[in-house]
Coordinates of all heavy atoms in Angstrom, one line a residue:
L1 N 35.2 -72.9 -39.3 CA 34.5 -72.2 -38.2 C 33.8 -73.2 -37.3 O 33.1 -74.1 -37.7 CB 33.4 -71.3 -38.8 CG 33.9 -70.2 -39.8 CD1 32.7 -69.5 -40.4 CD2 34.8 -69.3 -39.1
F2 N 34.0 -73.0 -36.0 CA 33.5 -73.8 -34.9 C 32.8 -72.9 -33.9 O 33.1 -71.8 -33.7 CB 34.6 -74.6 -34.2 CG 35.2 -75.6 -35.2 CD1 36.3 -75.4 -35.9 CD2 34.6 -76.9 -35.3 CE1 36.9 -76.3 -36.7 CE2 35.1 -77.8 -36.1 CZ 36.3 -77.5 -36.9
P3 N 31.8 -73.5 -33.2 CA 31.1 -72.7 -32.2 C 31.9 -72.3 -31.0 O 31.7 -71.3 -30.3 CB 29.9 -73.6 -31.8 CG 30.2 -75.0 -32.2 CD 31.3 -74.8 -33.3
T4 N 32.9 -73.1 -30.6 CA 33.7 -72.8 -29.5 C 35.2 -72.9 -29.8 O 35.6 -73.6 -30.7 CB 33.5 -73.8 -28.3 OG1 33.9 -75.1 -28.6 CG2 32.0 -73.8 -27.9
R5 N 36.0 -72.1 -29.0 CA 37.5 -72.2 -29.2 C 38.0 -73.6 -28.9 O 38.9 -74.1 -29.5 CB 38.1 -71.1 -28.3 CG 39.6 -71.0 -28.4 CD 40.1 -69.9 -27.5 NE 39.7 -68.6 -27.9 CZ 40.5 -67.7 -28.6 NH1 41.7 -68.1 -28.9 NH2 40.0 -66.5 -28.9
R6 N 37.4 -74.2 -27.9 CA 37.8 -75.6 -27.5 C 37.7 -76.6 -28.6 O 38.6 -77.3 -28.9 CB 37.0 -76.0 -26.3 CG 37.3 -77.5 -25.9 CD 36.5 -77.9 -24.8 NE 37.4 -78.4 -23.8 CZ 37.2 -78.6 -22.5 NH1 36.0 -78.2 -22.0 NH2 38.1 -79.1 -21.7
Q7 N 36.6 -76.5 -29.3 CA 36.4 -77.4 -30.5 C 37.4 -77.1 -31.6 O 37.9 -78.0 -32.2 CB 35.0 -77.3 -31.0 CG 33.9 -78.0 -30.2 CD 32.5 -77.7 -30.8 OE1 32.1 -76.6 -31.0 NE2 31.9 -78.8 -31.1
A8 N 37.6 -75.8 -31.8 CA 38.6 -75.4 -32.8 C 40.0 -76.0 -32.5 O 40.7 -76.6 -33.4 CB 38.7 -73.9 -32.9
W9 N 40.4 -75.9 -31.2 CA 41.7 -76.4 -30.9 C 41.8 -78.0 -31.0 O 42.8 -78.5 -31.4 CB 42.1 -76.0 -29.4 CG 42.7 -74.6 -29.4 CD1 42.1 -73.5 -29.0 CD2 44.0 -74.2 -29.9 NE1 42.9 -72.4 -29.2 CE2 44.1 -72.8 -29.7 CE3 45.0 -74.9 -30.4 CZ2 45.2 -72.1 -30.1 CZ3 46.2 -74.2 -30.8 CH2 46.2 -72.8 -30.6
Q10 N 40.7 -78.6 -30.6 CA 40.6 -80.1 -30.7 C 40.8 -80.5 -32.2 O 41.6 -81.4 -32.5 CB 39.3 -80.6 -30.1 CG 39.3 -80.6 -28.6 CD 37.9 -80.9 -28.1 OE1 36.9 -80.9 -28.8 NE2 37.9 -81.2 -26.8
V11 N 40.1 -79.9 -33.1 CA 40.1 -80.3 -34.5 C 41.5 -79.9 -35.0 O 42.1 -80.6 -35.8 CB 39.0 -79.6 -35.3 CG1 39.2 -79.7 -36.8 CG2 37.7 -80.1 -34.9
R12 N 42.0 -78.7 -34.6 CA 43.4 -78.3 -35.1 C 44.4 -79.4 -34.7 O 45.2 -79.8 -35.5 CB 43.7 -77.0 -34.5 CG 45.1 -76.5 -34.9 CD 45.7 -75.7 -33.8 NE 47.1 -75.5 -34.0 CZ 48.1 -76.3 -33.6 NH1 47.7 -77.4 -32.9 NH2 49.3 -76.1 -33.8
T13 N 44.4 -79.8 -33.5 CA 45.3 -80.9 -33.0 C 45.2 -82.2 -33.8 O 46.1 -82.7 -34.3 CB 45.1 -81.1 -31.5 OG1 45.3 -79.9 -30.8 CG2 46.1 -82.1 -31.0
A14 N 43.9 -82.6 -33.9 CA 43.7 -83.9 -34.7 C 44.1 -83.7 -36.1 O 44.7 -84.6 -36.7 CB 42.2 -84.2 -34.5
A15 N 43.7 -82.6 -36.8 CA 44.1 -82.4 -38.2 C 45.6 -82.4 -38.4 O 46.1 -83.0 -39.4 CB 43.4 -81.2 -38.7
T16 N 46.3 -81.7 -37.5 CA 47.7 -81.6 -37.7 C 48.4 -82.9 -37.5 O 49.3 -83.3 -38.3 CB 48.3 -80.6 -36.6 OG1 47.6 -79.3 -36.8 CG2 49.8 -80.4 -36.7
S17 N 47.9 -83.7 -36.6 CA 48.4 -85.1 -36.4 C 48.2 -85.9 -37.6 O 49.0 -86.7 -38.1 CB 47.9 -85.7 -35.1 OG 48.2 -85.0 -34.0
W18 N 46.9 -85.9 -38.1 CA 46.6 -86.7 -39.2 C 47.4 -86.3 -40.5 O 47.9 -87.2 -41.2 CB 45.1 -86.5 -39.5 CG 44.6 -87.4 -40.6 CD1 44.2 -88.7 -40.5 CD2 44.5 -87.1 -42.0 NE1 43.9 -89.2 -41.7 CE2 44.1 -88.3 -42.7 CE3 44.8 -86.0 -42.8 CZ2 43.9 -88.3 -44.1 CZ3 44.6 -86.0 -44.1 CH2 44.2 -87.2 -44.8
L19 N 47.5 -85.0 -40.7 CA 48.3 -84.6 -41.9 C 49.7 -85.0 -41.9 O 50.3 -85.5 -42.9 CB 48.2 -83.0 -42.0 CG 46.9 -82.4 -42.5 CD1 46.9 -80.9 -42.3 CD2 46.7 -82.8 -44.0
Y20 N 50.3 -85.0 -40.7 CA 51.7 -85.4 -40.6 C 51.8 -86.9 -40.6 O 52.6 -87.5 -41.3 CB 52.4 -84.9 -39.3 CG 53.8 -85.2 -39.3 CD1 54.7 -84.5 -40.1 CD2 54.3 -86.3 -38.5 CE1 56.0 -84.8 -40.1 CE2 55.7 -86.6 -38.6 CZ 56.5 -85.9 -39.4 OH 57.8 -86.2 -39.4
G21 N 50.9 -87.6 -39.9 CA 50.9 -89.1 -39.8 C 50.6 -89.8 -41.1 O 51.3 -90.7 -41.5
Q22 N 49.6 -89.3 -41.8 CA 49.2 -89.9 -43.1 C 49.9 -89.4 -44.3 O 50.2 -90.2 -45.2 CB 47.7 -89.7 -43.3 CG 46.8 -90.4 -42.2 CD 47.0 -91.9 -42.2 OE1 46.9 -92.5 -43.2 NE2 47.1 -92.4 -41.0
L23 N 50.2 -88.1 -44.4 CA 50.7 -87.5 -45.6 C 52.1 -86.9 -45.4 O 52.7 -86.4 -46.4 CB 49.7 -86.4 -46.1 CG 48.3 -86.8 -46.3 CD1 47.4 -85.6 -46.7 CD2 48.3 -87.9 -47.4
K24 N 52.6 -86.9 -44.2 CA 53.9 -86.3 -43.9 C 54.0 -84.8 -44.3 O 55.0 -84.3 -44.7 CB 55.1 -87.0 -44.7 CG 55.2 -88.5 -44.3 CD 55.6 -88.7 -42.9 CE 55.8 -90.2 -42.6 NZ 55.0 -90.7 -41.6
L25 N 52.9 -84.1 -44.0 CA 52.7 -82.7 -44.3 C 52.8 -82.0 -43.0 O 52.2 -82.4 -41.9 CB 51.4 -82.4 -45.0 CG 51.3 -82.9 -46.4 CD1 49.9 -82.6 -46.9 CD2 52.3 -82.3 -47.3
T26 N 53.4 -80.8 -43.0 CA 53.3 -79.9 -41.8 C 52.6 -78.6 -42.1 O 52.5 -78.3 -43.3 CB 54.8 -79.6 -41.3 OG1 55.5 -78.9 -42.4 CG2 55.5 -80.8 -40.8
I27 N 52.1 -78.0 -41.1 CA 51.4 -76.7 -41.3 C 52.3 -75.6 -40.9 O 53.0 -75.6 -39.9 CB 50.1 -76.7 -40.5 CG1 49.2 -77.8 -41.0 CG2 49.4 -75.3 -40.5 CD1 47.9 -77.9 -40.1
N28 N 52.3 -74.5 -41.8 CA 53.1 -73.4 -41.5 C 52.6 -72.7 -40.2 O 51.5 -72.3 -40.1 CB 53.0 -72.4 -42.7 CG 53.9 -71.2 -42.5 OD1 54.3 -70.8 -41.4 ND2 54.2 -70.5 -43.6
P29 N 53.5 -72.6 -39.2 CA 53.0 -72.0 -37.9 C 52.4 -70.6 -38.0 O 51.6 -70.2 -37.3 CB 54.3 -72.0 -37.0 CG 55.2 -72.9 -37.7 CD 54.8 -73.0 -39.1
K30 N 52.9 -69.9 -39.0 CA 52.5 -68.5 -39.2 C 51.0 -68.5 -39.6 O 50.2 -67.6 -39.3 CB 53.3 -67.8 -40.3 CG 52.9 -66.5 -40.7 CD 53.7 -66.0 -41.9 CE 53.0 -64.9 -42.6 NZ 53.5 -64.7 -43.9
N31 N 50.6 -69.5 -40.3 CA 49.2 -69.6 -40.8 C 48.3 -70.5 -40.0 O 47.1 -70.6 -40.3 CB 49.2 -70.0 -42.3 CG 49.9 -69.1 -43.2 OD1 49.9 -67.9 -43.0 ND2 50.6 -69.6 -44.1
D32 N 48.8 -71.0 -39.0 CA 48.0 -72.0 -38.1 C 47.5 -71.2 -36.9 O 48.2 -71.1 -35.9 CB 48.9 -73.1 -37.7 CG 48.2 -74.2 -36.9 OD1 47.0 -74.2 -36.9 OD2 48.9 -74.9 -36.2
V33 N 46.4 -70.6 -37.0 CA 45.8 -69.8 -35.9 C 44.4 -70.2 -35.6 O 43.7 -70.6 -36.4 CB 45.9 -68.3 -36.3 CG1 47.3 -67.8 -36.5 CG2 45.1 -68.0 -37.5
V34 N 44.1 -69.9 -34.3 CA 42.7 -70.1 -33.9 C 42.3 -68.7 -33.3 O 43.0 -68.3 -32.3 CB 42.6 -71.2 -32.8 CG1 41.2 -71.2 -32.2 CG2 42.9 -72.6 -33.4
I35 N 41.3 -68.1 -33.9 CA 40.9 -66.8 -33.4 C 39.4 -66.7 -33.3 O 38.7 -67.5 -33.9 CB 41.4 -65.6 -34.3 CG1 40.9 -65.8 -35.7 CG2 42.9 -65.6 -34.3 CD1 41.1 -64.6 -36.6
K36 N 38.9 -65.7 -32.6 CA 37.5 -65.4 -32.6 C 37.1 -64.8 -33.9 O 37.8 -63.9 -34.5 CB 37.1 -64.5 -31.5 CG 37.2 -65.1 -30.1 CD 36.7 -64.1 -29.1 CE 36.8 -64.7 -27.7 NZ 36.2 -63.8 -26.7
V37 N 35.9 -65.1 -34.4 CA 35.4 -64.5 -35.6 C 35.3 -63.0 -35.5 O 35.5 -62.3 -36.4 CB 34.0 -65.2 -36.0 CG1 33.4 -64.4 -37.2 CG2 34.2 -66.6 -36.4
S38 N 34.9 -62.6 -34.3 CA 34.7 -61.1 -34.1 C 36.0 -60.3 -34.3 O 36.0 -59.1 -34.6 CB 34.1 -60.9 -32.7 OG 35.0 -61.3 -31.7
A39 N 37.1 -61.0 -34.2 CA 38.4 -60.3 -34.4 C 38.7 -60.0 -35.8 O 39.5 -59.1 -36.2 CB 39.6 -61.2 -33.8
G40 N 38.1 -60.8 -36.7 CA 38.3 -60.6 -38.2 C 39.7 -61.2 -38.5 O 40.5 -61.4 -37.7
L41 N 39.9 -61.4 -39.8 CA 41.2 -61.9 -40.3 C 41.4 -61.6 -41.7 O 40.4 -61.4 -42.5 CB 41.3 -63.4 -40.0 CG 41.0 -64.4 -41.1 CD1 42.3 -65.3 -41.1 CD2 39.9 -65.3 -40.8
H42 N 42.6 -61.5 -42.1 CA 43.0 -61.3 -43.5 C 43.3 -62.7 -44.1 O 44.2 -63.4 -43.5 CB 44.2 -60.4 -43.7 CG 43.8 -59.0 -43.4 ND1 43.2 -58.2 -44.4 CD2 43.9 -58.3 -42.3 CE1 43.0 -57.0 -43.9 NE2 43.4 -57.0 -42.6
W43 N 42.6 -63.2 -45.1 CA 42.8 -64.5 -45.6 C 42.7 -64.5 -47.1 O 41.7 -64.0 -47.7 CB 41.8 -65.4 -45.0 CG 41.9 -66.9 -45.3 CD1 43.0 -67.7 -44.9 CD2 41.1 -67.7 -46.1 NE1 42.8 -68.9 -45.4 CE2 41.6 -69.0 -46.1 CE3 39.9 -67.5 -46.8 CZ2 41.1 -70.0 -46.8 CZ3 39.3 -68.5 -47.5 CH2 39.9 -69.8 -47.5
L44 N 43.7 -64.9 -47.8 CA 43.8 -65.0 -49.3 C 43.4 -63.6 -49.9 O 42.6 -63.6 -50.9 CB 42.9 -66.1 -49.8 CG 43.3 -67.5 -49.4 CD1 42.3 -68.5 -49.8 CD2 44.7 -67.9 -49.9
G45 N 43.9 -62.5 -49.4 CA 43.6 -61.2 -50.0 C 42.2 -60.7 -49.7 O 41.8 -59.7 -50.3
H46 N 41.6 -61.2 -48.7 CA 40.3 -60.7 -48.2 C 40.3 -60.4 -46.8 O 41.0 -61.0 -46.0 CB 39.2 -61.8 -48.5 CG 38.9 -62.0 -49.9 ND1 39.7 -62.7 -50.8 CD2 37.8 -61.7 -50.6 CE1 39.2 -62.7 -52.0 NE2 38.0 -62.2 -51.9

């Protein structure tokens, strides 16, 4: 959770790059989302 959408996108970009560069891991595009908290979300059965 981040205070702004901009910060969320910046961290998402940096984390995705780091995961691939250091660990050769990719993130499933279906689960890689940035949304407002007010929209709510279904996550791990919740």
Side-chain angles (χ1 to χ4, degrees):
L1 301 174
F2 292 96
T4 66
R5 185 179 290 259
R6 174 182 233 159
Q7 284 178 304
W9 278 106
Q10 288 171 344
V11 169
R12 179 211 165 272
T13 303
T16 303
S17 298
W18 185 86
L19 284 169
Y20 187 76
Q22 298 295 315
L23 303 174
K24 301 295 185 239
L25 294 174
T26 58
I27 296 176
N28 183 338
K30 176 183 156 197
N31 299 325
D32 182 21
V33 295
V34 174
I35 62 169
K36 289 184 176 184
V37 172
S38 61
L41 98 127
H42 288 277
W43 187 66
L44 296 176
H46 288 72

